[in-house]
Amino acid sequence: MSEVLEELHEECGVFGVCHVEDAASLSYYGLHALQHRGQEGCGIASMDHGVLQAHKGKGLVSEVFYPSVMGQLKGDCAIGHVRYSTAGGNEIENVQPLLANLTKHKFAVAHNGQIVNAKEMRVYLEAQGSIFQGSSDSEIILHLIQRAKGTFLERIKQAFSLLEGAYACLILSEEGVFAIRDHNGLRPLSYAQFHDGYLISSESCAFDVLSGTLDKDVEPGEIVWFHPNGVTHDRYRNACETHMCAMEYIYFARPDSVIDGINVHEARVATGVCMAKKDKMAHLQADIVIGVPDSSTSAAIGYAKESGLPFEMGLIKNRYVGRTFIQPTQKQRERGVRMKLSAIEPIVSGKRIVMIDDSIVRGTTSRRIVQLLKEAGALEVHVRIASPAITYPCFYGVDTSSFEELISARMNEQELCAYLKADSLSFMEISDLVSSYQTERLCTACFNGAYTTGLFSYGDIIKTFLSHKE
Ligand code: SF4
């Protein structure tokens, strides 16, 4: 799947700074490095001698923050957020960090992911008298902390022990910054020592921008509290196995990030190698390998290395097509593909091409790309997908929450190949993904329906789909 129009979107990225001068400015650079995780809105909250300040808005980090704003965000602790909305709308009330100015506790919350039992928790909290300002499920965290008892750390523990889902969360208070990761480790969150303090980020690529060095991942079910006297590790749930979202490696994360000890670029290269080995065994004849830019480039490099075929730039991406062109109708999508991608005719004309893409969601984009290549004179287009077919929706913060939008839930490989008008098509097996990444600690629910959490009200979507299938 190219980064075009029918792309998967993830719900957000978080970045925090603790006990480093000018924390908000550092957060700006951190969020900039995480911009690929969400472009709809962003915000930074900082704490200066007990005064909580924030600025947030709709748009890119470079659009929302300008020098006069940054000058107002003082203090040596800050948290920030980039948003893509899957749960809740993209109204300004849902842009984070969310602030709570309670008599005893002033705090801000930045949350990436999805709370699966959000509906149930909201009903419960409203029955208890809580009033919600927005529709984002992140607001639930604020209310749960407010209602809990004990020290601030104990309140956080109580709140998160009630939540089920996939998330990375940062909380800023007078007591420092708290980093919390879901107990299945579905969403990434790591930290780095930086000068006399710490940086915390959804992805390690944001540390590199600031010349910070990745220290550790926050463990599943763990709360890491960064405070003036150092770091305290605590848990709100017992240790669980990590089930990192496989799509982080396949598509979402930047190739220079390291997630749970695995470099994303290297993981993608290994998938390309794996696909090439299979094609070698099947005696596939081709002239060149191309990747759909940008997230498929690493896998295409791996394929080329293993197959001995030249890696070529067959497709070029127009980087300046704005978000305004991400439109929901089919016609707009089709036009958008042409605006965003072009085939380089002298490269592809007269060639048998292996085209590597990272995944297929609706199939519309892949079909258009095959068409682009053939119109530019490609003799054959063999589509290789560096992930298994997406046949189940994701309820963990990725915006594929219905079966209708997943073409592989309706078509088998052969039918899909015919729909794409490709000369051949193949996906990876889950076992190939596991051996390429050299870890079994993956969530693969969108490929096989093996959800790692209870699904609460989302379970009905699965039941309805399965009953139609029977
Ligand atoms: S269901 Fe898929 S997209 Fe969602 S968390 Fe699991 S692997 Fe990631």
Side-chain angles (χ1 to χ4, degrees):
M1 173 191 59
S2 60
E3 274 182 66
V4 190
L5 312 174
E6 66 158 358
E7 68 218 64
L8 287 168
H9 288 286
E10 174 159 25
E11 195 184 3
C12 327
V14 294
F15 189 82
V17 179
C18 196
H19 302 303
V20 187
E21 209 180 311
D22 214 3
S25 293
L26 296 172
S27 300
Y28 173 90
Y29 292 109
L31 290 184
H32 211 276
L34 297 178
Q35 189 76 83
H36 58 288
R37 298 182 75 87
Q39 296 99 41
E40 287 189 358
C42 57
I44 296 174
S46 69
M47 183 69 83
D48 184 29
H49 297 99
V51 180
L52 186 60
Q53 317 139 95
H55 179 77
K56 44 191 184 175
K58 288 186 183 183
L60 303 172
V61 176
S62 57
E63 294 165 347
V64 172
F65 292 98
Y66 34 91
S68 60
V69 166
M70 295 311 299
Q72 289 164 21
L73 295 174
K74 297 191 186 339
D76 68 352
C77 287
I79 59 170
H81 188 262
V82 286
R83 176 172 177 81
Y84 175 80
S85 55
T86 56
N90 71 343
E91 304 85 26
I92 189 72
E93 301 80 45
N94 290 329
V95 178
Q96 299 184 34
L98 301 178
L99 306 189
N101 263 310
L102 308 178
T103 327
K104 279 193 178 164
H105 296 283
K106 292 180 177 50
F107 64 98
V109 172
H111 162 256
N112 152 223
Q114 192 156 343
I115 295 166
V116 187
N117 60 343
K119 211 172 173 182
E120 291 74 10
M121 291 311 302
R122 198 176 256 261
V123 169
Y124 161 75
L125 285 163
E126 281 178 352
Q128 303 288 313
S130 294
I131 296 168
F132 286 82
Q133 289 181 359
S135 52
S136 146
D137 56 7
S138 313
E139 215 179 321
I140 290 165
I141 299 168
L142 254 63
H143 288 283
L144 287 175
I145 291 175
Q146 187 210 344
R147 291 186 166 274
K149 302 217 168 1
T151 64
F152 196 60
L153 176 62
E154 284 163 354
R155 284 168 171 246
I156 292 174
K157 282 168 74 171
Q158 286 164 39
F160 280 88
S161 67
L162 297 171
L163 299 177
E164 192 72 66
Y167 50 80
C169 183
L170 295 180
I171 300 177
L172 169 70
S173 84
E174 280 181 77
E175 297 175 33
V177 176
F178 298 81
I180 304 119
R181 188 171 171 200
D182 70 78
H183 72 282
N184 288 298
L186 281 148
R187 293 279 150 246
L189 189 63
S190 52
Y191 56 94
Q193 275 196 333
F194 186 72
H195 299 282
D196 291 330
Y198 286 90
L199 306 174
I200 311 123
S201 177
S202 289
E203 277 184 49
S204 66
C205 63
F207 303 144
D208 302 336
V209 172
L210 296 166
S211 304
T213 311
L214 171 65
D215 193 358
K216 272 180 99 177
D217 293 292
V218 176
E219 287 176 20
E222 189 184 24
I223 301 175
V224 185
W225 174 19
F226 302 90
H227 50 76
N229 301 321
V231 180
T232 301
H233 296 263
D234 208 328
R235 313 199 129 267
Y236 64 94
R237 290 252 188 136
N238 289 334
C240 287
E241 240 186 51
T242 308
H243 289 94
M244 172 53 59
C245 165
M247 290 308 297
E248 290 282 353
Y249 297 114
I250 293 164
Y251 175 69
F252 296 129
R254 261 177 46 167
D256 51 340
S257 285
V258 175
I259 296 178
D260 283 335
I262 299 170
N263 173 272
V264 173
H265 168 71
E266 287 177 352
R268 289 179 188 167
V269 169
T271 58
V273 170
C274 174
M275 291 189 288
K277 278 184 181 158
K278 290 202 157 176
D279 279 345
K280 253 192 199 167
M281 279 160 52
H283 305 293
L284 179 74
Q285 301 294 313
D287 303 308
I288 59 170
V289 183
I290 66 169
V292 178
D294 288 321
S295 45
S296 312
T297 306
S298 306
I301 289 171
Y303 191 104
K305 241 193 213 167
E306 179 63 29
S307 65
L309 295 173
F311 168 65
E312 289 281 7
M313 181 109 95
L315 291 164
I316 189 120
K317 186 170 148 190
N318 176 2
R319 292 173 197 286
Y320 303 102
V321 176
R323 286 159 294 131
T324 36
F325 292 106
I326 299 176
Q327 298 292 344
T329 70
Q330 186 72 3
K331 208 164 182 187
Q332 286 164 320
R333 270 190 208 115
E334 287 172 10
R335 203 176 299 129
V337 174
R338 287 190 178 276
M339 290 189 67
K340 208 157 183 182
L341 279 179
S342 310
I344 303 181
E345 203 178 313
I347 302 284
V348 302
S349 180
K351 305 279 179 20
R352 297 166 299 175
I353 296 171
V354 175
M355 183 194 100
I356 310 287
D357 208 346
D358 47 64
S359 49
I360 293 183
V361 183
R362 289 193 185 91
T364 332
T365 306
S366 309
R367 186 178 149 104
R368 288 284 153 205
I369 298 172
V370 172
Q371 192 186 348
L372 273 180
L373 292 169
K374 293 226 165 158
E375 283 172 5
L379 293 180
E380 294 173 12
V381 180
H382 301 276
V383 179
R384 295 292 176 268
I385 305 298
S387 66
I390 301 176
T391 50
Y392 283 82
C394 175
F395 306 111
Y396 299 143
V398 175
D399 68 348
T400 55
S401 53
S402 77
F403 282 98
E404 291 71 45
E405 54 203 2
L406 303 174
I407 198 159
S408 291
R410 304 193 308 270
M411 291 185 191
N412 63 29
E413 209 166 279
Q414 223 177 354
E415 290 163 339
L416 184 51
C417 182
Y419 170 77
L420 300 181
K421 298 198 168 120
D423 293 275
S424 71
L425 165 71
S426 64
F427 290 90
M428 292 188 78
E429 301 291 332
I430 294 177
S431 55
D432 293 336
L433 204 66
V434 166
S435 59
S436 298
Y437 296 169
Q438 295 181 29
T439 180
E440 289 184 353
R441 300 187 309 167
L442 292 172
C443 170
T444 53
C446 52
F447 313 127
N448 60 5
Y451 298 97
T452 54
T453 68
L455 291 181
F456 297 86
S457 52
Y458 293 110
D460 295 341
I461 297 174
I462 305 287
K463 273 187 219 145
T464 311
F465 174 73
L466 294 178
S467 66
H468 287 164
K469 252 187 148 183
E470 277 161 9

